[in-house]
Amino acid sequence: MTIRSSFGPAMVTALSSVAALLVAWLLTRADMSSAGGGYDIGHMVLLYSTLPRMATALICGAALALSGALFQQVLRNPLASPTTLGISSGANLALVLAMLYMPGLLGFGRDLVALVGSAVAAGLVFLLGARRGFSPFALVMAGLVISLWCGALAAVLTLLNERYLVSLFIWGSGSLSQQSWVIPLSLLPKVGVIALLAALLVRPLTLIELGEAGATALGLRIGTLRFAAVLLAVALAAFVTSAVGVIGFIGLVAPTIARLSGARRPVEILVWSTLIGASLLFLTDVSVMYLAGAMSDFLPTGAVTAVFGSPLLLLLLPRLKSRHRPAESGVRQAQRRSRPRTIIVVAAAMTLLIAGAALVVGRLPGGDWALLSHDLFSTLGGLRLPRIAAAFLAGVMLAVAGVILQRLTGNEMASPEVLGIGAGATLGVAAGLFVVMEPSVGLQLALASAGALTVLAAIFLITLRSGLAPERVLLGGIALSAMVDAIVGVLGATGDPRAMFLLRWMSGSTYAVEVPTVWVVTLCAVLLLTAALVFHRWLDLLPLGPAAASSLGVSLPTARLTLLAIAGLLSAAGTLCVGPLSFIGLMAPHAAREIGLKGARATTAGAAIIGGGLMVLADWAGRTIVFPYEIPAGLVSALIGAPFLILLIRRRG
């Protein structure tokens, strides 16, 4: 490691460590001064609760950061993190299933159940990624699909059994509370062994920086390296998740901060990411204990980690050097012969068929299936039509926003929720719920709109000086989104009944949609979709890279600002319609490319139809499958769409 490239990461580590030690001293000075002979409660709490908790924070922060650094280095994607491969979601789903259907398994240990869930999720990701030689795109996509599917199923089970599963909110948000040294002492050797094995990968990871062709020419087996690095990263994340729950932000933000502060070579990124992650989680946890006092056991550290990490990431963001990374999927798709018009016509016909079935097929009050009769059409049809229209419009707008963001940034993981627009709308609704006892639907819409537009304006202001460089926009959106999610997560972990309403709204439901809302959203959709199609030439040229696009006459700042504004407004309108969704905007563009569509116009049209059709199908299934209960369309869309996308990926393998 060079002194120059280590100065920045060392400063970040030193500052966060000094701040953490200062807070830790303020937290423990009373108990340390009272330590004397005999039995002392404060001293016992210090020895068997506070100190083990601090040790756990250091170990978990280091492990998650090292895991994230391995993912990002070997997959060459700055947005890859332990949560990307579904490790946390798999563990959470395993615990929910065990608590509901096999509570006896929890007697053998909650850690074991969570570890099995993580291993199964990781195994599925490897199985899907193996068909494409463990390529970065295949692993990231498989991980996202598995993560979304596990998260959606866990959320559905939680909504249907909220009385039994409220306690999982705290664990699911990452709680470091300890009553002994068992967990830190069991984690330390596991993490130590994995770290030593990771050190053996430093040289191969250095070679892969030359590019896949150059590394292969030097004798490096790319597939074997990816398998080994991902296996170590998964093991680190699984150990931490099984021990303390879901703490996802550290694995993403620590390697990014290490790079932004000056780390360049793989060995520097791995080492400084580990140290920064440990100090950042340590600072977060001691701050939670000091500020929350006796309530700190009920305030999950994982939920508030972003409150400390996000400002640091935003502060370092101007140092990020923009780079263009062509979307691998796009390159592959260009080699495929297709008939876009035929594909789009078939997709549109299927969507119309789904919408017609959703309108006339439903359940009677007794639960029997029935076609909608003529005399009931004026009553039930009037109730179903606004929901079908809202679901379709939301799916269309979020899918088109996803196409714009993915082509604009050249990153297959870009999507509307990454920009934090949905999180901003959620924060607005949360403020309405906790400040006003019973906010009206109109007030909820106004607050959600204000929250979404505030986040969008903040992203523009933060990245304006860089000419709205795509990677800065994505990382700025992730930081703001994580911060807003942290605040909402803390509210949810309080156990307040209003948090359950917030959870339902976040799931994406069309239950409260009214006719005036549909007309307003329809007008927004027509205007914004027209604008997106008008600027399709920019979407065709920007994936070629900044230099090529500029040489062909594209003004990069103007094009980026215009397309970002369109994507942001599309996302805000879709979120206001049915709530924040985390699937359509990400998956519909991939599905459009997987069925053979290429070019901006064809991909936009195909993704819009797929997104709209999938949302209509999800809304209908959510209303009828578990009648008289109702599942939000946003969750059902992930349960239906994820297997569909997996089939497409396997077919293309």
Side-chain angles (χ1 to χ4, degrees):
M1 291 188 288
T2 64
I3 296 177
R4 184 177 180 181
S5 60
S6 299
F7 179 76
M11 285 295 295
V12 173
T13 306
L15 289 174
S16 54
S17 298
V18 169
L21 290 173
L22 177 61
V23 178
W25 177 75
L26 294 173
L27 178 70
T28 59
R29 60 178 177 174
D31 293 333
M32 287 191 293
S33 61
S34 66
Y39 179 77
D40 182 86
I41 294 179
H43 188 57
M44 298 300 287
V45 171
L46 174 67
L47 286 179
Y48 296 104
S49 178
T50 306
L51 292 180
R53 179 167 176 162
M54 291 178 179
T56 304
L58 286 168
I59 297 170
C60 292
L64 289 173
L66 180 58
S67 175
L70 285 170
F71 280 136
Q72 293 182 15
Q73 283 298 113
V74 78
L75 299 181
R76 301 179 64 77
N77 192 319
L79 302 185
S81 70
T83 52
T84 302
L85 293 187
I87 308 305
S88 304
S89 298
N92 191 37
L93 177 60
L95 280 169
V96 170
L97 290 172
M99 189 170 289
L100 285 177
Y101 304 110
M102 292 176 285
L105 288 177
L106 297 177
F108 293 98
R110 189 180 69 178
D111 296 352
L112 181 61
V113 175
L115 196 57
V116 171
S118 299
V120 171
L124 290 173
V125 172
F126 278 119
L127 191 62
L128 292 171
R131 292 181 65 88
R132 291 187 176 179
F134 300 106
S135 71
F137 171 76
L139 285 175
V140 168
M141 280 306 303
L144 279 175
V145 171
I146 296 297
S147 178
L148 287 170
W149 191 86
C150 291
L153 183 56
V156 168
L157 294 173
T158 303
L159 285 173
L160 295 177
N161 303 276
E162 58 187 74
R163 292 182 180 179
Y164 307 103
L165 300 177
V166 169
S167 61
L168 280 181
F169 281 138
I170 296 177
W171 184 90
S173 300
S175 175
L176 294 173
S177 178
Q178 303 295 322
Q179 285 79 44
S180 70
W181 285 90
V182 172
I183 286 182
L185 291 179
S186 64
L187 271 178
L188 187 60
K190 300 174 189 172
V191 174
V193 169
I194 300 293
L196 290 176
L197 293 175
L200 300 177
L201 299 181
V202 167
R203 186 176 179 278
L205 288 174
T206 305
L207 292 178
I208 206 174
E209 290 287 306
L210 302 173
E212 294 192 9
T216 304
L218 293 173
L220 181 66
R221 300 176 66 179
I222 301 292
T224 304
L225 172 63
R226 285 188 179 135
F227 179 82
V230 170
L231 185 64
L232 296 180
V234 166
L236 285 169
F239 288 148
V240 173
T241 304
S242 64
V244 299
V246 181
I247 303 176
F249 192 65
I250 291 291
L252 173 67
V253 76
T256 304
I257 290 176
R259 282 197 303 273
L260 292 181
S261 58
R264 293 290 178 268
R265 296 187 298 165
V267 63
E268 295 171 346
I269 293 173
L270 293 181
V271 170
W272 288 117
S273 298
T274 304
L275 296 176
I276 290 174
S279 60
L280 193 58
L281 189 58
F282 183 40
L283 172 62
T284 304
D285 194 49
V286 294
S287 300
V288 167
M289 286 192 286
Y290 182 70
L291 297 175
M295 293 297 296
S296 62
D297 287 348
F298 302 98
L299 188 60
T301 303
V304 296
T305 303
V307 175
F308 291 85
S310 296
L312 189 57
L313 181 59
L314 293 174
L315 185 66
L316 293 170
L317 207 53
R319 297 170 59 89
L320 178 67
K321 293 183 179 179
S322 299
R323 59 181 178 177
H324 175 71
R325 188 170 59 83
E328 295 182 21
S329 55
V331 174
R332 279 198 309 271
Q333 295 300 324
Q335 302 171 355
R336 176 174 177 147
R337 298 179 59 186
S338 62
R339 296 179 177 177
R341 289 185 180 178
T342 304
I343 294 173
I344 291 173
V345 168
V346 171
M350 292 180 65
T351 299
L352 282 175
L353 185 64
I354 292 170
L359 181 63
V360 300
V361 178
R363 297 271 197 144
L364 294 174
D368 296 329
W369 291 93
L371 292 174
L372 188 63
S373 60
H374 179 72
D375 55 333
L376 289 177
F377 186 83
S378 59
T379 304
L380 293 180
L383 295 175
R384 292 177 182 174
L385 267 177
R387 300 187 60 168
I388 294 172
F392 178 77
L393 290 170
V396 167
M397 288 189 287
L398 292 172
V400 174
V403 171
I404 293 174
L405 292 174
Q406 290 181 13
R407 296 186 77 88
L408 178 63
T409 62
N411 194 312
E412 59 272 10
M413 295 173 69
S415 60
E417 62 270 19
V418 171
L419 281 181
I421 298 170
T426 304
L427 185 61
V429 173
L433 285 174
F434 283 84
V435 175
V436 182
M437 289 303 294
E438 294 183 358
S440 63
V441 175
L443 181 58
Q444 290 179 36
L445 289 175
L447 291 170
S449 177
L453 293 178
T454 299
V455 170
L456 188 60
I459 293 172
F460 281 173
L461 290 176
I462 292 170
T463 59
L464 194 58
R465 291 185 60 185
S466 67
L468 300 172
E471 285 194 5
R472 294 192 188 188
V473 171
L474 279 178
L475 287 173
I478 287 173
L480 287 172
S481 178
M483 193 184 302
V484 173
D485 282 340
I487 297 172
V488 175
V490 170
L491 294 176
T494 61
D496 192 299
R498 289 170 291 190
M500 291 309 300
F501 174 85
L502 194 60
L503 182 63
R504 289 194 182 93
W505 190 82
M506 291 172 66
S507 304
S509 173
T510 59
Y511 181 77
V513 172
E514 297 178 347
V515 174
T517 305
V518 173
W519 282 115
V520 171
V521 175
T522 302
L523 179 61
C524 294
V526 171
L527 294 175
L528 293 170
L529 292 176
T530 303
L533 291 175
V534 166
F535 296 112
H536 73 89
R537 181 173 176 271
W538 288 346
L539 293 175
D540 278 323
L541 297 180
L542 285 175
L544 301 176
S550 297
S551 66
L552 292 171
V554 177
S555 172
L556 293 180
T558 303
R560 288 169 175 171
L561 178 61
T562 304
L563 293 174
L564 272 177
I566 294 173
L569 292 173
L570 280 168
S571 306
T575 302
L576 295 178
C577 195
V578 298
L581 303 178
S582 59
F583 179 79
I584 298 296
L586 178 69
M587 295 301 175
H590 287 291
R593 287 195 294 271
E594 292 291 343
I595 61 175
L597 296 176
K598 56 186 179 181
R601 275 198 300 190
T603 306
T604 301
I609 294 171
I610 291 172
L614 181 58
M615 275 299 295
V616 172
L617 178 62
D619 180 61
W620 174 79
R623 285 189 281 116
T624 57
I625 296 299
V626 293
F627 183 85
Y629 299 103
E630 187 167 319
I631 304 174
L635 297 178
V636 181
S637 67
L639 292 177
I640 297 174
F644 170 67
L645 190 62
I646 287 174
L647 288 176
L648 288 176
I649 293 174
R650 286 181 59 82
R651 186 171 62 86
R652 296 288 315 280

